[in-house]
């Protein structure tokens, strides 16, 4: 019999409606799962079983009256630590952060609460969100449930680990260069970086988005129906569209798909990853899509420039801290940011300009395709205690070559599992589409999900 903690959000809402299940029983099952797994995974922070139980009771009462609050009423879920929830501090994974409790919910948390979601707590992240790793100066080391000696990725580290482990079916991450898609790929789940502005966030910043992280594409789409609702606090958000998020059917015949296997910079794609992505491309072709290889369209100048700008942006915050607080920051992060103190204005400006260079390159490369598929990352996951797959603060972004450009081009991109290494570690397939075609990307992912070979059982922790 399937454990209640492993049911999808779509299954739960259907069962609540028919009164076959209660949010109270489901929430208790998820709490039991978290209490059993957390000593090993360290995916959660501010875990609050009492508040979750109370929210579940209120949800049960609404369902008994036939008056659910919204599309995810009674569904247990987590929210990434950097998305403010009222009354909880926002440490950003960093021991030097201010621990003042947030005065109100950020947009994604507010929409979640309004729709009746049962918030279990927050998920962990690395210092200042600037690592693709579960390493943090504030939290214990987050681990990947597929193999506890490996990394869940980041910066939505806890969210990726929690989703794979079954800490409820819905999770929210954030992404400015791959921070949803990379842990999704390395944890074998579905992670959507929506079009820039599709989900309102606060504070907003160029390239930064929030998005759902789930085990299934349908759950991802269901959560998008909630998270994409408007919020005036985000002055960069898109006009609200009432999209048919749960209409996920797509005829692949005639769809033009680019196959992108060489990013143009970064680590080379490892053979097992390449083979898995090529096998996915064959499935699309066999279903009638037109799959064509595309040439690299990014380069070293672009990522090195963005690296300079991001270092300067982080150093602006770190340099204002006391020496005592600076010493609390993860040494890898401090070593990365500190180099920005010697940059001049031209260094920073030309770095910032590479955001536009990436944008134009990505849009041009994709203008004749409906979608492009690629590896989510060039490699499978890596040792748990490393800060990145290269583990060198002066080469910090060799692994984000396939993910970062979509943040700059504002295009929706999703990671879905496309196979496993010989050691049983998940491999991510990235699918990205034209700006604002979030629904098309979800439909492509659902089509692939329906075609792919049988998946391994979700990991369990002894």
């Amino acid at each position: 019999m399937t454990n209640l903690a492993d049911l999808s959000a779509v299954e739960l809402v259907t069962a609540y409606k028919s009164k076959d299940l209660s949010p109270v029983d489901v929430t208790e099952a998820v709490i039991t799962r978290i209490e059993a797994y957390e000593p090993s995974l360290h995916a959660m922070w501010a875990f609050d079983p009492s508040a979750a139980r109370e929210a579940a009771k209120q949800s049960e009462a609404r369902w008994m009256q036939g008056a659910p609050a919204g599309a995810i009423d009674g569904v247990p879920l987590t929210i990434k630590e950097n998305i403010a929830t009222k009354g909880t501090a926002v440490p950003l994974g960093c021991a030097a952060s201010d621990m003042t409790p947030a005065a109100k919910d950020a947009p994604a948390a507010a929409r979640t609460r309004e729709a009746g979601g049962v918030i279990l707590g927050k998920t962990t992240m690395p210092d200042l969100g600037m690592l693709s790793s579960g390493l943090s100066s504030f939290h214990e080391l987050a681990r990947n449930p597929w193999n506890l000696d490996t990394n869940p990725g980041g910066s939505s580290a806890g969210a990726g680990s929690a989703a794979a482990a079954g800490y409820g079916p819905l999770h929210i991450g954030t992404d400015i260069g791959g921070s949803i898609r990379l842990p999704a790929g390395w944890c074998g789940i579905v992670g959507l970086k929506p079009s820039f502005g599709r989900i309102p966030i606060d504070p907003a910043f160029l390239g930064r988005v929030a998005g759902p992280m789930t085990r299934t594409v349908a759950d991802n789409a269901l959560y998008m129906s909630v998270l994409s609702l408007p919020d005036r606090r985000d002055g960069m958000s898109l006009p609200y569209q009432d999209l048919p998020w749960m209409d996920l059917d797509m005829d692949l015949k005639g769809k033009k798909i680019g196959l992108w296997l060489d990013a143009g910079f970064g680590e080379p794609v490892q053979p097992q990853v390449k083979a898995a992505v090529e096998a996915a491309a064959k499935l699309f072709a066999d279903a009638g899509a037109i799959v064509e290889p595309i040439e690299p369209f990014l380069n070293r100048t672009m990522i090195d420039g963005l690296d300079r700008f991001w270092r300067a942006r982080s150093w602006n915050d770190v340099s204002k801290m006391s020496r005592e607080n600076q010493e609390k920051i993860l040494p890898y992060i401090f070593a990365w940011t500190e180099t920005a103190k010697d940059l001049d204005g031209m260094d920073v400006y030309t770095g910032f300009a590479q955001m536009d260079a990436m944008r134009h390159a990505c849009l041009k490369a994709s203008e004749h395709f409906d979608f492009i598929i690629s590896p989510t990352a060039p490699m499978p996951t890596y040792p748990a205690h490393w800060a990145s797959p290269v583990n060198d603060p002066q080469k910090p972004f060799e692994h984000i070559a396939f993910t970062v450009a979509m943040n700059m081009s504002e295009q929706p991109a999703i990671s879905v599992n496309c196979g496993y290494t010989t050691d049983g570690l998940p491999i991510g397939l990235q699918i990205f589409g034209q700006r604002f075609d979030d629904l098309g990307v979800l439909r492509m992912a659902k089509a692939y999900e329906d075609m792919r070979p049988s998946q391994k059982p979700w990991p369990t922790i002894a």
Side-chain angles (χ1 to χ4, degrees):
M1 182 180 294
T2 301
N3 189 302
L4 295 181
D6 292 314
L7 293 175
S8 71
V10 171
E11 290 171 326
L12 290 179
V13 170
T14 300
Y16 295 159
K17 187 175 182 179
S18 64
K19 297 182 174 57
D20 290 329
L21 286 177
S22 161
V24 172
D25 295 333
V26 173
T27 298
E28 199 60 45
V30 176
I31 289 171
T32 298
R33 169 74 55 82
I34 293 172
E35 290 175 342
Y37 285 11
E38 262 307 274
S40 299
L41 290 185
H42 308 302
M44 295 290 293
W45 183 69
F47 176 43
D48 193 343
S50 296
R53 290 184 175 110
E54 180 58 32
K57 288 178 184 177
Q58 294 174 10
S59 174
E60 180 184 61
R62 290 191 294 270
W63 279 110
M64 292 301 292
Q65 295 167 7
I72 57 169
D73 202 343
V75 178
L77 54 87
T78 73
I79 296 175
K80 187 177 176 181
E81 174 194 320
N82 62 340
I83 298 173
T85 50
K86 185 177 179 180
T88 303
V90 187
L92 303 176
C94 183
S97 293
D98 177 18
M99 294 297 289
T100 302
K104 56 187 176 182
D105 287 339
R111 300 296 85 75
T112 295
R113 209 183 296 273
E114 291 161 3
V118 175
I119 300 173
L120 298 157
K122 312 298 283 290
T123 49
T124 58
M125 61 184 285
D127 285 52
L128 309 177
M130 293 309 297
L131 287 180
S132 296
S133 173
L135 196 62
S136 162
S137 64
F138 183 78
H139 303 293
E140 292 190 69
L141 177 64
R143 295 177 182 270
N144 191 321
W146 290 94
N147 181 333
L148 295 178
D149 292 329
T150 67
N151 212 295
S155 64
S156 303
S161 182
Y167 288 13
L170 302 179
H171 308 269
I172 313 173
T174 60
D175 190 313
I176 199 171
S179 288
I180 287 172
R181 289 158 290 160
L182 290 166
W186 288 326
C187 291
I189 64 167
V190 180
L192 174 67
K193 182 211 80 69
S195 296
F196 181 73
R198 178 69 72 195
I199 294 175
I201 60 173
D202 182 36
F205 189 80
L206 291 172
R208 181 172 176 263
V209 302
M213 301 174 70
T214 61
R215 285 181 168 185
T216 69
V217 175
D219 276 5
N220 215 277
L222 178 66
Y223 208 3
M224 281 299 295
S225 73
V226 172
L227 296 174
S228 62
L229 291 169
D231 192 301
R232 290 187 176 183
R233 287 176 286 177
D234 185 351
M236 303 174 80
S237 61
L238 297 173
Y240 173 68
Q241 287 182 277
D242 185 12
L243 297 172
W245 291 107
M246 299 309 293
D247 179 4
L248 294 173
D249 292 335
M250 173 179 277
D251 184 355
L252 293 172
K253 291 180 180 177
K255 294 294 182 187
K256 194 168 183 183
I257 300 174
L259 176 59
W260 184 33
L261 293 172
D262 183 348
F265 73 87
E267 288 288 290
V269 176
Q270 293 187 9
Q272 292 186 74
V273 174
K274 183 173 183 283
V277 173
E278 288 176 330
K282 186 176 186 303
L283 287 178
F284 282 117
D286 290 346
I290 302 166
V291 180
E292 298 178 358
I294 62 174
E295 295 298 314
F297 56 84
L298 304 177
N299 58 52
R300 174 59 57 183
T301 298
M302 293 174 181
I303 195 61
D304 286 350
L306 186 63
D307 183 12
R308 289 198 306 276
F309 173 67
W310 277 351
R311 288 179 196 237
R313 176 173 170 253
S314 296
W315 181 245
N316 180 60
D317 296 328
V318 171
S319 65
K320 296 173 184 175
M321 295 179 181
S322 67
R323 188 63 192 174
E324 179 184 5
N325 273 348
Q326 288 179 351
E327 290 173 353
K328 295 177 182 178
I329 297 172
L330 198 69
Y332 181 104
I333 289 292
F334 188 80
W336 174 70
T337 59
E338 190 179 29
T339 58
K341 67 184 180 182
D342 297 323
L343 298 177
D344 62 23
M346 189 62 72
D347 291 329
V348 177
Y349 172 75
T350 55
F352 177 81
Q354 295 308 310
M355 296 173 76
D356 264 346
M358 283 190 189
R359 173 189 179 89
H360 294 313
C362 196
L363 291 173
K364 182 174 177 56
S366 57
E367 64 182 350
H368 298 302
F369 293 98
D370 297 304
F371 303 96
I372 290 177
I373 61 175
S374 75
T376 303
M379 70 289 289
T381 188
Y382 55 96
H385 61 282
W386 284 16
S388 78
V390 177
N391 205 33
D392 180 349
Q394 304 314 322
K395 296 180 179 179
F397 300 132
E398 302 305 295
H399 58 289
I400 69 171
F402 289 102
T403 54
V404 65
M406 287 95 255
N407 294 84
M408 308 311 147
S409 66
E410 306 182 2
Q411 293 167 270
I414 196 167
S415 179
V416 59
N417 189 57
C418 69
Y420 306 88
T421 67
T422 53
D423 293 330
L425 296 174
I427 297 170
L429 171 74
Q430 179 177 246
I431 303 167
F432 73 93
Q434 298 298 327
R435 291 174 70 213
F436 317 130
D437 190 20
D438 304 71
L439 191 52
V441 165
L442 283 164
R443 287 171 174 166
M444 272 281 288
K446 183 64 167 66
Y448 176 70
E449 185 181 60
D450 291 343
M451 294 188 299
R452 70 187 177 184
S454 297
Q455 301 291 282
K456 291 181 180 292
W458 290 104
T460 58
I461 309 298

